[in-house]
Amino acid sequence: MPEPNTTLTFAVNLLWVRPGKVGGTEVMIRNLLTGFHHEKDPFHAFLITSKDNADTFRHYAEEDPRYTIDVCDVLSANIGKRILWQNLHLNAHLRHLSLTCCFSPVYDRPVFNGGIRYVSVIHDIQACHYPKYHPSYEVWYSKLIWKAVRDRSAGIVCISDAVREDIEAVYHFPKEKTTTIYNPVTVDPKETCSFAALSERYHISPKGYYYTVGQLIPHKNIATFLRVMAILKERKTPEKLLISGISGNAENDLVRSVRELGIKDCVQFTGYVSNAERNTLYQNARAFLFPSVFEGFGIPPVEAMILGATVITTRCTCIPEVTQGKANYVDDPYDPEDWIRAMEHAKNHSAELDTTRYSLPVIAKKYLAYLRSVFTAS
């Protein structure tokens, strides 16, 4: 095994990145590359990019000679052709670059190794648990690649212990191949904006509203919140709820429910908000509500707690793990009365959160150490 001070050379598969369209996975890898930049561990990473995403990664190579940009003749936006190219040509392309190791920050990778040693990251197996929310071809392909990762990747990173336990239980991933490394949470408490402007836009006052963030898809469970708001209005104790997040396949149903429940004056969809606006809304909310019933990591409640918010959430999947048992939890995520009780008695434990577990330097160091241990193993 090479000495720790020898240069670790590896590829980073970025062909899958469609800038601005793949959510948290894109944020994770960009943060991680930034974190690697500040590490002293000697490495040389070839960033394997596509023709339509390469420019968004060039600054890494301009700022750090340990990064080399390599542009492949494929478009990330053309998913079908990209997957085909990846399976037919990526391994040969890496060998042409004299590379034998490849880090794939998502599960997607060629079905066969072709002489390349892979480390893959599993963020969740959502398509397995919620197949009805995905096209059938996506479910089929996901299952195929999860099995390729299980059988052929040299190392597998899970972003929470809950994900690790899930893939071991459902797909029988070998324990000796898997490890847990959390996602970095890089929220900046100083990145805020004027609350007065938000107050005028959304008709809210400090501590006079509840807030939630999440894609508008069924397992985020926002529909339960709408029932909560309807009950509170019926009891003559109306509250205000702001919902920030990009559209999803439950958006039309949620908008219709708001209308049918007669709570248009209580619920407002903000759509996309900037980080500064989101942070300000976190900080001034009476409580941050996170009703999701399925997460691989669940960054929003951690962000909210780092910013000092009172958090009320569920006990589902990884959420108690990543919030370190310091949030307020409902026992039945689908019971509006359970939520109302929690909202009435919630306490703020955010100051007790150990934020170092999610710091970028800590996570980057763990990733580099793991990649070195796998890629240099005999």
Side-chain angles (χ1 to χ4, degrees):
M1 180 184 297
E3 294 298 321
N5 62 350
T6 59
T7 298
L8 175 67
T9 302
F10 60 98
V12 183
N13 178 13
L14 300 171
L15 298 177
W16 52 276
V17 177
R18 291 175 289 139
K21 296 183 179 180
V22 289
T25 51
E26 178 183 358
V27 174
M28 171 265 193
I29 186 52
R30 292 188 188 278
N31 285 341
L32 201 54
L33 293 176
T34 299
F36 288 172
H37 170 67
H38 295 287
E39 286 300 307
K40 294 181 180 179
D41 189 354
F43 71 89
H44 188 180
F46 285 74
L47 306 185
I48 310 301
T49 63
S50 59
K51 292 188 293 185
D52 55 346
N53 71 23
D55 286 346
T56 69
F57 291 102
R58 291 191 190 281
H59 69 280
Y60 293 104
E62 293 169 355
E63 296 165 3
D64 191 335
R66 294 176 298 177
Y67 289 119
T68 296
I69 297 291
D70 180 80
V71 185
C72 298
D73 188 22
V74 65
L75 297 173
S76 66
N78 193 326
I79 298 174
K81 287 188 176 180
R82 188 259 300 168
I83 289 173
L84 185 63
W85 189 95
Q86 180 174 266
N87 277 278
L88 295 178
H89 303 292
L90 179 58
N91 292 328
H93 182 72
L94 296 179
R95 293 196 304 270
H96 177 73
L97 295 173
S98 299
L99 296 170
T100 59
C101 301
C102 184
F103 170 49
S104 189
V106 292
Y107 70 91
D108 201 10
R109 47 148 292 168
V111 173
F112 298 102
N113 288 345
I116 306 299
R117 179 173 287 192
Y118 282 91
V119 167
S120 305
V121 180
I122 302 288
H123 293 260
D124 60 51
I125 51 173
Q126 183 188 126
C128 169
H129 294 293
Y130 296 93
K132 61 183 178 180
Y133 304 144
H134 299 265
S136 57
Y137 66 83
E138 184 178 320
V139 175
W140 175 86
Y141 179 71
S142 296
K143 291 180 177 180
L144 173 68
I145 299 301
W146 288 331
K147 291 177 181 178
V149 169
R150 178 194 65 191
D151 297 337
R152 301 188 177 97
S153 288
I156 301 155
V157 177
C158 300
I159 63 172
S160 66
D161 286 336
V163 171
R164 190 177 183 182
E165 293 164 5
D166 198 19
I167 64 172
E168 289 172 357
V170 176
Y171 284 106
H172 310 293
F173 275 61
K175 292 178 185 288
E176 64 274 12
K177 270 192 178 184
T178 62
T179 192
T180 298
I181 303 178
Y182 285 159
N183 280 340
V185 182
T186 57
V187 60
D188 181 359
K190 297 179 181 178
E191 188 179 6
T192 58
C193 67
S194 166
F195 181 76
L198 297 176
S199 174
E200 184 176 351
R201 184 189 311 166
Y202 300 123
H203 308 290
I204 53 176
S205 59
K207 307 304 178 185
Y209 64 96
Y210 291 97
Y211 187 46
T212 190
V213 173
Q215 190 177 5
L216 305 181
I217 51 181
H219 69 261
K220 298 296 184 179
N221 194 30
I222 292 173
T224 297
F225 276 171
L226 302 186
R227 293 162 56 206
V228 168
M229 302 307 289
I231 291 171
L232 291 176
K233 184 175 182 178
E234 184 179 320
R235 293 176 181 172
K236 311 300 182 184
T237 55
E239 298 284 1
K240 181 86 173 187
L241 173 66
L242 292 189
I243 303 170
S244 294
I246 59 175
S247 62
N249 55 16
E251 181 178 14
N252 292 337
D253 290 340
L254 293 172
V255 171
R256 183 169 57 253
S257 292
V258 168
R259 184 175 61 252
E260 292 174 350
L261 291 168
I263 52 175
K264 289 181 67 175
D265 54 334
C266 303
V267 176
Q268 189 163 357
F269 296 95
T270 71
Y272 170 82
V273 294
S274 69
N275 288 347
E277 292 170 328
R278 179 205 62 198
N279 294 350
T280 304
L281 290 170
Y282 277 148
Q283 292 174 329
N284 288 277
R286 183 178 305 171
F288 177 74
L289 309 177
F290 195 67
S292 179
V293 297
F294 183 84
E295 295 291 328
F297 185 81
I299 287 179
V302 178
E303 289 178 333
M305 294 181 77
I306 290 174
L307 292 170
T310 299
V311 171
I312 309 172
T313 184
T314 72
R315 300 184 187 277
C316 299
T317 57
C318 69
I319 298 173
E321 174 190 346
V322 301
T323 55
Q324 302 172 20
K326 306 299 184 183
N328 300 272
Y329 303 96
V330 298
D331 293 315
D332 183 351
Y334 298 107
D335 182 1
E337 296 294 346
D338 205 352
W339 282 101
I340 292 170
R341 285 190 293 271
M343 291 159 69
E344 291 173 344
H345 300 100
K347 296 182 179 180
N348 192 328
H349 300 287
S350 60
E352 302 171 26
L353 192 76
D354 179 6
T355 60
T356 62
R357 297 187 190 181
Y358 318 110
S359 73
L360 186 54
V362 168
I363 302 304
K365 189 177 294 293
K366 286 185 176 182
Y367 262 101
L368 278 177
Y370 183 69
L371 293 175
R372 182 176 289 278
S373 69
V374 173
F375 288 151
T376 60
S378 55

